[in-house]
């Protein structure tokens, strides 16, 4: 922890408390048993830690039935993504790798060392034979699901890369944007849902609601795309659709110029709005998960996403650097997201209200953003009403009375009656106090001695008595 962190948490004590609580009191629903794992599986979990520390933590707390299948699912898609992201691989080589990756993962002993030396997850593909070895051991039904999603994702990625290689703008319309996010994240939501239902850890009805499954992936992916806009631009990548940014600036690079700050903020607000439209469907989905570790696995990333969305909303820093929520806030969010569905709804409500508070009438999408925030709150209110029926009836009664002129006048008169009564009572107390003090003075009370003792800090009666005896003792007694 650096000096800046020490200074930050010395002011934000609640966040420091959340970090300590998470480290000290968080008990995983399930825990891995490394002693019972094969060498190749231990290597897989090592790569899981290296490629994504955040996802690794929640994956390793999953129920034993899904622990290995989901860990391998993540590593296989990470390997696919590593090929797609590597700009040093020529399209002639990349295209067939992406389209045939679902066949490759069935080949025993396959590995790949064709990534550029600077590709961060290069080593995963170099030792990919360990992943394949473990993949071949899991239940056939889980393998079928993983293979099917890998096929669809690989084809979608290949099409996207082909367009980019041909010099065509990859993300022009909002439809293109949704398609890209579907292939890289929405399909993950579909695959995970099939795994959850197959293991009987989710309501089977979720399989019949593909839009809910897709929204789970799109909400995460779109939030990350907004947050990472500067980092992607520095890497010569662009995912914000022209249909949105062209309303605000002439060229995409203009978003990063200080003189276009207001236009850039309005553009980012529209991107946040696009992402926020998936939030209520994510909550609907989470309500269908039955096993606690599966719920935690799905809920934590969604809660982190809505917290990130509140952070990046109308935040000019996203055009200067990669911004992230603080560790303290992340720990507090994870603590809240591992309790129950009601607490997750409260997390969403809290951050949606932050977005609404930062919303400004100067934004062209002010009303749409307000409606989107209201939609999320309305969904939560429909499941967990914030007021009892009696409280709602009282509020309605007060609202009706507020429209009645006679009732308004009566309340105003009652208010002044209370004010006059308070003044009268205080006046009586003042008069009585004055009379009592006067009577005591005439009877010989020495207020000067009392004041002197108070100044000297001698408050106890025995001390006062001793002083009086010493001063007025005549020796006759």
């Amino acid at each position: 922890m650096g000096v800046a962190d020490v200074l930050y948490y010395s002011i934000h004590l609640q966040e420091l408390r959340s970090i300590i609580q998470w480290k000290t009191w968080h008990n995983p629903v399930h825990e891995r048993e490394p002693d019972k794992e094969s060498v190749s599986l231990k290597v897989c979990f090592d790569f899981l830690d290296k490629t994504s520390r955040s996802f690794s933590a929640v994956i390793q707390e999953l129920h034993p039935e899904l622990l290995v299948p989901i860990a391998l699912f993540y590593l296989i898609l990470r390997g696919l993504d590593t090929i797609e992201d590597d700009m040093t691989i020529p399209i002639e080589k990349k295209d067939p790798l992406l389209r045939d990756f679902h066949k490759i993962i069935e080949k025993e002993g396959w590995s790949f060392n064709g990534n550029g030396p600077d590709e961060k997850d290069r080593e995963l593909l170099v030792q990919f034979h360990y992943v394949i070895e473990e993949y071949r051991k899991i239940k056939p039904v889980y393998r079928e699901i993983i293979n099917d999603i890998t096929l669809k994702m690989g084809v979608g990625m290949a099409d996207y890369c082909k367009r980019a290689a041909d010099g065509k703008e990859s993300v022009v319309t909002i439809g293109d944007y949704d398609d890209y996010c579907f292939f890289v994240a929405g399909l993950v939501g579909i695959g995970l849902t099939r795994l959850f239902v197959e293991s009987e850890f989710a309501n089977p009805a979720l399989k019949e609601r593909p839009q809910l499954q897709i929204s789970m992936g799109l909400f995460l992916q779109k939030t990350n795309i907004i947050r990472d806009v500067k980092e992607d631009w520095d890497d010569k990548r662009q995912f914000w659709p022209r249909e949105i940014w062209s309303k605000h600036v002439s060229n995409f690079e203009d978003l990063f110029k200080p003189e276009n700050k207001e236009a850039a903020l309005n553009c980012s607000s529209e991107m946040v709005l696009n992402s926020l439209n998936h939030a209520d469907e994510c909550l609907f989905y989470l309500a269908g998960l039955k096993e606690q570790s599966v719920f935690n696995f799905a809920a934590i990333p969604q809660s982190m996403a809505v917290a990130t969305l509140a952070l990046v909303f109308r935040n000019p820093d996203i055009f200067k650097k990669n911004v992230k929520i603080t560790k303290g806030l992340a720990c507090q969010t994870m603590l809240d997201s591992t309790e129950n569905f009601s607490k997750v709804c409260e997390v969403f409500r809290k951050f949606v209200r932050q977005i609404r508070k930062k919303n400004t009438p100067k934004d062209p999408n002010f009303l749409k953003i307000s409606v989107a925030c209201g939609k999320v709150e309305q969904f939560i209110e429909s499941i967990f009403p914030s007021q009892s029926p009696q409280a709602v009836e009282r509020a309605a009664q007060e609202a009706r009375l507020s429209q009645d002129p006679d009732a308004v006048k009566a309340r105003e008169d009652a208010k002044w009656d209370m004010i006059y009564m308070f003044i009268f009572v205080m006046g009586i107390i003042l008069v009585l106090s004055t009379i009592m003090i006067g009577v005591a003075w005439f009877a010989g009370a020495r207020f000067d001695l009392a004041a002197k003792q108070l100044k000297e800090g001698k408050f106890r009666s025995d001390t006062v008595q001793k002083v009086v005896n010493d001063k007025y003792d005549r020796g006759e007694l």
Side-chain angles (χ1 to χ4, degrees):
M1 185 179 286
V3 176
D5 291 331
V6 172
L7 292 174
Y8 178 85
Y9 289 116
S10 64
I11 299 172
H12 300 83
L13 295 177
Q14 179 59 44
E15 291 193 23
L16 178 61
R17 179 172 178 265
S18 298
I19 295 173
I20 295 171
Q21 282 184 311
W22 178 260
K23 299 288 187 184
T24 307
W25 300 111
H26 172 65
N27 293 317
V29 183
H30 304 285
E31 293 189 56
R32 268 181 66 204
E33 297 181 345
D35 295 342
K36 298 180 181 179
E37 295 172 355
S38 64
V39 173
S40 56
L41 187 55
K42 288 179 181 177
V43 172
C44 290
F45 280 113
D46 285 342
F47 276 119
L48 192 64
D49 286 332
K50 292 174 183 176
T51 53
S52 177
R53 294 185 64 84
S54 56
F55 273 109
S56 176
V58 291
I59 288 174
Q60 294 188 55
E61 294 183 7
L62 278 168
H63 189 283
E65 175 67 18
L66 288 179
L67 171 62
V68 175
I70 289 182
L72 297 174
F73 188 28
Y74 178 86
L75 290 175
I76 287 170
L77 297 186
R78 173 62 74 175
L80 184 67
D81 188 59
T82 301
I83 293 173
E84 188 253 350
D85 276 349
D86 194 340
M87 306 304 290
T88 67
I89 302 176
I91 189 62
E92 296 79 16
K93 187 176 182 180
K94 180 183 291 188
D95 188 81
L97 279 172
L98 294 174
R99 294 185 190 279
D100 294 337
F101 205 72
H102 67 291
K103 298 177 182 176
I104 289 171
I105 60 176
E106 302 288 347
K107 295 180 180 179
E108 187 174 358
W110 183 89
S111 61
F112 180 72
N113 62 0
N115 285 107
D118 297 327
E119 188 62 35
K120 63 177 182 177
D121 294 326
R122 181 183 191 279
E123 193 60 27
L124 170 63
L125 287 170
V126 171
Q127 301 189 52
F128 205 72
H129 56 281
Y130 289 116
V131 177
I132 294 175
E133 181 180 341
E134 290 301 320
Y135 167 74
R136 291 165 63 87
K137 296 177 184 177
I138 62 176
K139 291 181 180 180
V141 65
Y142 295 153
R143 285 176 58 182
E144 181 184 343
I145 293 169
I146 294 172
N147 190 284
D148 182 51
I149 298 300
T150 304
L151 164 62
K152 293 173 180 175
M153 187 178 289
V155 170
M157 286 181 170
D159 291 342
Y160 173 83
C161 291
K162 191 77 165 58
R163 286 181 64 179
D166 291 341
K168 298 176 182 177
E169 194 170 356
S170 303
V171 185
V172 178
T173 67
I174 294 175
D176 294 336
Y177 181 50
D178 286 338
D179 287 344
Y180 172 76
C181 292
F182 169 76
F183 282 118
V184 300
L187 283 169
V188 178
I190 293 174
L192 287 172
T193 303
R194 290 168 63 184
L195 290 171
F196 296 159
V197 172
E198 189 63 41
S199 60
E200 300 183 351
F201 293 151
N203 190 324
L206 285 179
K207 280 185 70 175
E208 312 307 318
R209 303 292 295 271
Q211 187 54 45
L212 300 183
Q213 304 169 37
I214 294 168
S215 283
M216 287 288 285
L218 265 59
F219 187 58
L220 299 182
Q221 185 66 23
K222 289 182 175 182
T223 300
N224 289 340
I225 285 174
I226 299 167
R227 182 197 64 194
D228 298 338
V229 60
K230 182 63 169 66
E231 183 179 311
D232 287 334
W233 181 247
D234 290 341
D235 291 339
K236 298 180 171 53
R237 296 185 298 180
Q238 172 192 333
F239 299 106
W240 289 24
R242 174 183 285 273
E243 185 178 340
I244 289 180
W245 62 257
S246 62
K247 297 177 188 177
H248 307 277
V249 290
S250 300
N251 300 296
F252 187 73
E253 56 266 29
D254 293 340
L255 291 172
F256 303 95
K257 296 177 180 178
E259 61 267 27
N260 297 322
K261 177 182 176 181
E262 195 61 31
L265 289 176
N266 291 339
C267 182
S268 68
S269 293
E270 189 166 351
M271 291 292 293
V272 168
L273 170 63
N274 182 276
S275 179
L276 194 60
N277 285 328
H278 299 287
D280 61 319
E281 292 183 333
C282 293
L283 289 174
F284 200 134
Y285 180 96
L286 291 173
L289 301 178
K290 299 190 291 186
E291 203 275 331
Q292 185 64 47
S293 70
V294 169
F295 177 82
N296 295 351
F297 168 75
I300 288 176
Q302 301 299 327
S303 295
M304 301 288 271
V306 75
T308 300
L309 213 57
L311 174 66
V312 301
F313 181 66
R314 297 199 67 82
N315 185 348
D317 286 345
I318 66 171
F319 298 104
K320 303 172 186 175
K321 59 184 180 180
N322 185 258
V323 299
K324 292 184 178 180
I325 60 176
T326 63
K327 187 174 181 180
L329 180 57
C331 288
Q332 181 59 57
T333 303
M334 289 189 292
L335 282 168
D336 292 338
S337 302
T338 51
E339 290 192 33
N340 52 53
F341 181 54
S342 174
K343 290 291 287 185
V344 173
C345 286
E346 285 302 313
V347 170
F348 269 69
R349 195 201 303 265
K350 177 177 74 172
F351 290 114
V352 162
R353 285 179 175 174
Q354 288 183 17
I355 292 173
R356 175 178 278 177
K357 187 176 181 181
K358 290 165 68 177
N359 197 16
T360 170
K362 296 186 296 182
D363 194 317
N365 289 289
F366 171 73
L367 289 177
K368 291 181 179 178
I369 292 168
S370 298
V371 169
C373 291
K375 184 181 173 186
V376 177
E377 291 205 58
Q378 185 179 28
F379 176 82
I380 296 171
E381 190 69 20
S382 69
I383 304 174
F384 302 107
S386 56
Q387 292 183 316
S388 65
Q390 294 81 4
V392 172
E393 178 58 32
R394 285 196 299 271
Q397 180 73 15
E398 290 176 4
R400 287 193 295 272
L401 290 174
S402 68
Q403 304 300 319
D404 184 352
D406 293 336
V408 172
K409 184 176 184 303
R411 277 205 306 274
E412 189 69 17
D413 290 343
K415 182 182 75 173
W416 282 105
D417 287 345
M418 288 295 296
I419 293 173
Y420 294 144
M421 182 65 73
F422 177 77
I423 294 173
F424 177 75
V425 170
M426 293 305 296
I428 291 294
I429 292 172
L430 180 62
V431 170
L432 290 175
S433 298
T434 303
I435 292 172
M436 291 172 67
I437 292 171
V439 170
W441 184 73
F442 277 114
R446 295 294 304 271
F447 294 111
D448 57 330
L449 288 177
K452 181 180 178 182
Q453 299 306 314
L454 288 173
K455 287 181 182 179
E456 294 175 358
K458 299 175 181 177
F459 302 109
R460 293 184 55 176
S461 58
D462 57 343
T463 304
V464 175
Q465 185 64 47
K466 183 177 184 302
V467 171
V468 172
N469 290 341
D470 290 346
K471 186 167 184 177
Y472 297 100
D473 185 12
R474 297 291 184 267
E476 296 89 352
L477 303 178

